[in-house]
Amino acid sequence: MAPRPFPILFITATRIGDAVLSSGLIARLIEEIPGARFTIVAGPAAAPLFAEVPNLERVIVLEKSKDKGHWFRLWNQVRHREWGLIVDLRGSAISGFLRRKRRAVFRRTSGLPVHKVIEASRVLMPDGDAAPPFLFTSAETEARAQALTAGFGPILALAPAANWVGKTWPLERFAQAAIQLLGQDGPLAGGRLMVLGAPEDQQVIHSLRHVVAKGKLIDLVGKADLLTAYACLKRARLFIGNDSGLMHLAAAAGAPTVGLFGPSDEALYAPWGPHTRVVRGPREFEQIRAVDPGFAQALCHMMDLTVDVVTASARELLASTEGPAIERQRTKG
């Protein structure tokens, strides 16, 4: 007999990276609650990540308004139902005004800060294991990714953009790193270059298109939705990128991931997983923050991170891993 439907209201982040880091909770709920049915609330940028969650009833896009009216609009959309569980990673008061059997709401604590994956996991499992990031993709999305990445040679994926110039490694250094890794004597010799970014990041592809021959370039800048990009990243042999949503997407996909850090705290935002590395220049996060306390300056804080440091980390990670995540999954299967 089919389990009785158990409605879950899951309120997650506005930003892509934060939403990815907490995504493992949905997979955990699917495993543990027979009959789970999801209504997922997310910001406009992050909402597409959840389009293919099993037993999904609805994705509600929560657009912020200055008068906080978005919470009233959300309440008006979900108030007519009794929820089996409300998970609120935004720490709002809305669950107190809704009928529910149980709720789990994020609350800030006075303890030492922890990685965002652990922080999110503690909302549901205060004493349990961290729920690693995980996104669901359909067979159609996987087939689309397979078509986009079809070809010969390992894939080096780059995501050179970020939401602020302060944490953006110079484009010419991405190009130099790619040339070293894909060149004749590199560990990915004969491989292909996959470049990811949003539609507004077109300058990225213009700067990198000459790094490899035309037939070796996979241009996904503004051409792949988030879930398709995630599925493509499962097929990458290595990912290098700034601290961004795409970096977290790559790590969640299982791609060996080198995250480039400067004015970001890796203790909180490092890419999650065993096949990940963090590299930074000689300055620690606190040293950079001392120079730019509010992180409001239009100043690149990544200039002291050299190409040699990044490629050395990339070579070590390649030597310690076996291949793309999609191949590892087939081997295990």
Side-chain angles (χ1 to χ4, degrees):
M1 186 172 67
R4 185 176 180 181
F6 186 87
I8 298 174
L9 179 63
F10 192 93
I11 303 172
T12 187
T14 297
R15 294 180 178 177
I16 294 170
D18 290 327
V20 171
L21 291 173
S22 61
S23 62
L25 293 181
I26 295 175
R28 189 68 59 87
L29 289 168
I30 289 173
E31 289 177 2
E32 296 182 356
I33 302 179
R37 299 290 183 271
F38 291 93
T39 295
I40 298 175
V41 181
L49 293 169
F50 305 101
E52 295 175 0
V53 168
N55 304 322
L56 179 69
E57 293 187 344
R58 186 181 182 190
V59 174
I60 298 176
V61 178
L62 187 65
E63 296 200 47
K64 286 185 177 180
S65 55
K66 292 181 179 179
D67 62 358
K68 306 280 189 185
H70 51 284
W71 291 115
F72 177 76
R73 291 193 295 274
L74 175 61
W75 173 79
N76 220 16
Q77 293 180 78
V78 298
R79 66 187 176 90
H80 301 289
R81 189 172 196 177
E82 180 178 1
W83 299 95
L85 171 65
I86 299 175
V87 179
D88 184 0
L89 299 175
R90 300 277 291 274
S92 74
I94 191 170
S95 61
F97 300 96
L98 296 171
R99 290 179 297 146
R100 80 282 172 189
K101 292 185 173 131
R102 183 189 164 202
R103 62 176 170 171
V105 181
F106 169 71
R107 300 288 183 227
R108 295 195 182 278
T109 64
S110 57
L112 290 174
V114 296
H115 194 282
K116 292 298 179 180
V117 169
I118 297 173
E119 182 181 81
S121 299
R122 286 179 178 172
V123 173
L124 269 182
M125 304 164 290
D127 302 313
D129 295 332
F134 184 88
L135 297 171
F136 292 92
T137 52
S138 66
E140 291 77 12
T141 294
E142 293 293 336
R144 189 159 57 248
Q146 182 61 35
L148 286 169
T149 58
F152 298 98
I155 296 173
L156 169 62
L158 301 182
N163 60 3
W164 173 48
V165 67
K167 59 181 183 180
T168 305
W169 202 42
L171 261 174
E172 62 270 17
R173 298 190 191 181
F174 274 101
Q176 291 167 23
I179 290 169
Q180 289 188 27
L181 295 171
L182 293 167
Q184 186 174 357
D185 298 322
L188 297 176
R192 296 171 288 158
L193 179 64
M194 181 165 73
V195 186
L196 302 101
E200 60 269 24
D201 299 326
Q202 289 300 321
Q203 79 282 358
V204 164
I205 198 66
H206 294 320
S207 300
L208 294 173
R209 67 170 63 254
H210 300 300
V211 167
V212 291
K214 185 176 180 182
K216 295 283 188 177
L217 178 67
I218 304 170
D219 175 11
L220 298 185
V221 178
K223 298 179 174 66
D225 60 81
L226 287 174
L227 286 181
T228 301
Y230 172 73
C232 288
L233 284 164
K234 293 179 185 179
R235 294 155 171 83
R237 182 64 184 89
L238 179 72
F239 170 91
I240 301 175
N242 302 310
D243 171 31
S244 67
L246 283 169
M247 178 196 74
H248 293 300
L249 207 64
T257 296
V258 178
L260 313 183
F261 277 66
S264 301
D265 190 350
E266 61 266 41
L268 306 181
Y269 290 105
W272 185 268
H275 306 308
T276 64
R277 302 290 185 273
V278 167
V279 293
R280 60 165 57 250
R283 294 179 300 162
E284 297 296 324
F285 169 69
E286 292 298 341
Q287 292 175 291
I288 296 174
R289 185 160 66 176
V291 174
D292 186 6
F295 292 131
Q297 299 183 38
L299 175 68
C300 179
H301 293 294
M302 305 284 286
M303 297 302 293
D304 57 356
L305 177 57
T306 67
V307 173
D308 286 346
V309 168
V310 172
T311 55
S313 181
R315 289 172 185 271
E316 182 275 324
L317 184 55
L318 285 168
S320 66
T321 54
E322 296 179 357
I326 200 79
E327 290 182 7
R328 296 197 298 270
Q329 290 170 4
R330 287 172 185 154
T331 301
K332 289 178 182 177

